């Protein structure tokens, strides 16, 4: 959240899958941590479901980072969920 709306020259990404256990119910939920890596090697991490989905769309369109000739300029922005059910983060290309 502290880097929202900051321009990032995205060079690589890492997605870490992990299981989260709900302390109250004991239910195990599969989650994803997205790590964005800029051209200087600086990293930005989030567990936002919206960011994970948005990154998937970006990669579907642009291909894997290893195929990019140069970094892609992006911003992570906050957006409302449908029916005002809260907020999430998404990637916007610049």
């Amino acid at each position: 959240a502290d880097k929202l709306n900051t321009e990032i020259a995205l060079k690589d990404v890492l997605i870490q899958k992990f299981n989260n256990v709900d302390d109250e119910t004991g239910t195990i939920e599969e989650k994803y941590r997205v790590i964005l890596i800029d051209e200087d090697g600086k990293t930005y991490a989030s567990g936002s479901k919206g960011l994970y989905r948005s990154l998937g769309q970006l990669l579907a369109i642009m291909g894997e980072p290893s195929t990019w000739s140069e970094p892609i300029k992006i911003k992570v922005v906050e957006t409302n969920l449908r029916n005002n059910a809260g907020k999430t983060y998404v990637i916007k290309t610049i």
Side-chain angles (χ1 to χ4, degrees), residues 2-66:
D2 58 333
K3 296 298 180 183
L4 286 176
N5 300 308
T6 300
E7 185 176 309
I8 299 170
L10 184 64
K11 185 174 180 179
D12 209 350
V13 299
L14 177 64
I15 299 171
Q16 297 174 325
K17 181 173 143 181
F18 64 96
N19 291 324
N20 185 56
V21 179
D22 185 299
D23 290 335
E24 293 180 19
T25 66
T27 305
I28 298 173
E29 183 179 4
E30 192 173 85
K31 298 233 178 187
Y32 297 91
R33 178 177 296 109
V34 172
I35 302 171
L36 307 175
I37 305 168
D38 74 10
E39 64 186 347
D40 297 323
K42 188 172 182 180
T43 59
Y44 308 85
S46 175
S48 165
K49 214 180 261 191
L51 186 67
Y52 171 74
R53 289 182 181 145
S54 182
L55 177 61
Q57 292 171 344
L58 177 73
L59 296 176
I61 294 167
M62 303 300 292
E64 294 294 319
S66 62

